Amino acid sequence: MARIYYRCEPFSKADVTLALESGVDGVIVPRAQVEKVAALSRCTVWACEDVASVPLNVKADEEALVARLKAGETACLARGWEIIPVENLLAQADNVLAEAGSLEEARLAAGILERGVDGIVVLPEALAELKAIVAQCKISQGREELQKAVITRVEPVGLGHRVCADTLSLLKRGQGMLVGNSSAFTVLVHAETEHNEYVAARPFRVNAGAVHAYARLPHDKTCYLGELAAGQEVLIVGADGQTSVATVGRVKIEVRPMLLVEAEAETPEGPKRGAVFLQNAETIRLTAPDGTPLSVVSLKPGDTVLCRLDQAGRHFGMRIQEEIREV
């Protein structure tokens, strides 16, 4: 996920304020303004004079820039860069920055080699698109491939510790977190966006399941729900597969009556089965293919929900190649 910087040259206090409120990781301003801007927000503030804008016109420019980056200098590819030279840089050096003067250029820089540059320096001509650039190149995590699964079993199983992930974001209908007994089969647990006559909606919350369950995180990682902590980023997924990042503000782990929910999805290799333990309460919902929240209280065999299939095998949340069974 690329870091986003805004180059405010010539300097404008209003533009710097807008950039900081948009969620950039840092700003680049004339040296005389660095101290004042650093007092506005806890973020990176660089002097324009210390961040060279380097054009790549010939192969020798590329080689010289690699040497500078390896020496620890902060340098940025000047606007007008082409994809092949940037790919060469990414293969040889870290901390590759690239200028962008539009949302389209920022998207391109963020997706090179399916990894993207390490940082995007947004130029003043793209100020009007800055919020969109942050949303699409920093918050968005691309798409998840979701598919339909049919509920095969819903059964009360007694008490257990369940985890509520209260985020800093207001989630929308159709959004939630991917959770499951196995990283190979997770279901889309819907956020608490719905009102009922007994409980107000809490759209910042995903009542995600039992402490032992896997939750899918950004950057193809997982963690146990019981390991979630304030300040951690979680992956928010919509029924359309679109994703974003939300920060956990609070985790509530409490003993509650639980349900075992099992489901089955069709694959070219045959049926694949998975399960998740969820609190036995009306406010906990899975997600139908059209984004409709389905309460676990009324869930029954034959109902269709959204899931994500993967290969089992994780070590400290990282994907590994290993023979493993999770049942």
Side-chain angles (χ1 to χ4, degrees):
M1 183 168 59
R3 301 183 300 276
I4 309 294
Y5 304 95
Y6 179 67
R7 183 185 284 272
C8 191
E9 189 180 22
F11 179 75
S12 165
K13 184 178 179 180
D15 291 356
V16 165
T17 301
L18 176 60
L20 295 174
E21 291 176 350
S22 297
V24 298
D25 296 284
V27 290
I28 305 170
V29 297
R31 191 180 306 281
Q33 304 296 331
V34 167
E35 187 174 344
K36 291 180 181 178
V37 173
L40 297 176
S41 177
R42 189 186 292 268
C43 73
T44 299
V45 183
W46 285 329
C48 296
E49 297 83 349
D50 294 334
V51 185
S53 181
V54 180
L56 295 184
N57 297 318
V58 295
K59 184 67 175 179
D61 294 338
E62 178 187 313
E63 295 168 350
L65 182 54
V66 168
R68 294 174 68 175
L69 293 174
K70 287 185 175 181
E73 289 188 44
T74 302
C76 178
L77 291 172
R79 189 182 185 189
W81 46 265
E82 296 182 353
I83 292 177
I84 298 301
V86 179
E87 290 179 342
N88 294 339
L89 286 170
L90 290 172
Q92 300 176 72
D94 296 323
N95 200 31
V96 177
L97 308 180
E99 291 181 347
S102 68
L103 174 58
E104 183 178 354
E105 291 176 7
R107 279 198 201 113
L108 187 61
I112 294 174
L113 289 181
E114 298 184 357
R115 160 195 157 185
V117 297
D118 300 285
I120 299 170
V121 176
V122 180
L123 300 176
E125 47 264 52
L127 180 63
E129 297 181 288
L130 185 54
K131 288 188 177 182
I133 290 171
V134 172
Q136 295 190 31
C137 299
K138 182 175 174 64
I139 299 174
S140 174
Q141 295 290 296
R143 290 181 61 87
E144 292 282 9
E145 292 297 325
L146 303 180
Q147 67 181 78
K148 297 176 182 178
V150 176
I151 299 298
T152 58
R153 181 185 178 198
V154 182
E155 182 177 314
V157 290
L159 299 175
H161 286 86
R162 68 93 173 101
V163 179
C164 281
D166 290 353
T167 73
L168 306 188
S169 302
L170 294 176
L171 308 185
K172 300 177 182 177
R173 200 170 211 249
Q175 290 184 316
M177 291 172 56
L178 288 167
V179 180
N181 268 10
S182 167
S183 60
F185 194 119
T186 50
V187 295
L188 186 55
V189 181
H190 201 281
E192 292 193 8
T193 62
E194 308 302 296
H195 293 267
N196 69 33
E197 60 180 309
Y198 300 106
V199 181
R202 294 182 175 90
F204 53 83
R205 171 175 295 171
V206 181
N207 190 327
V211 286
H212 74 283
Y214 286 103
R216 186 154 170 80
L217 302 181
H219 314 302
D220 193 32
K221 295 181 180 180
T222 62
C223 78
Y224 298 121
L225 284 178
E227 295 176 340
L228 287 178
Q232 184 173 356
E233 290 184 335
V234 293
L235 188 70
I236 302 301
V237 183
D240 59 358
Q242 292 291 345
T243 66
S244 59
V245 172
T247 300
V248 175
R250 172 180 57 231
V251 177
K252 294 183 67 179
I253 301 177
E254 298 164 311
V255 176
R256 293 291 186 268
M258 304 294 284
L259 291 172
L260 169 61
V261 179
E262 295 181 342
E264 181 176 285
E266 293 295 332
T267 75
E269 295 76 35
K272 193 168 185 178
R273 299 174 181 84
V276 65
F277 288 87
L278 299 167
Q279 183 181 340
N280 185 356
E282 193 276 337
T283 54
I284 290 74
R285 295 172 167 87
L286 296 183
T287 311
D290 65 356
T292 300
L294 301 175
S295 174
V296 295
V297 172
S298 56
L299 202 63
K300 60 187 183 301
D303 287 344
T304 303
V305 298
L306 287 173
C307 74
R308 180 186 183 278
L309 303 182
D310 200 348
Q311 296 297 317
R314 298 277 174 159
H315 184 65
F316 293 108
M318 303 293 292
R319 185 185 299 277
I320 58 171
Q321 295 296 322
E322 182 180 18
E323 184 177 347
I324 184 170
R325 293 183 64 199
E326 295 173 321
V327 295

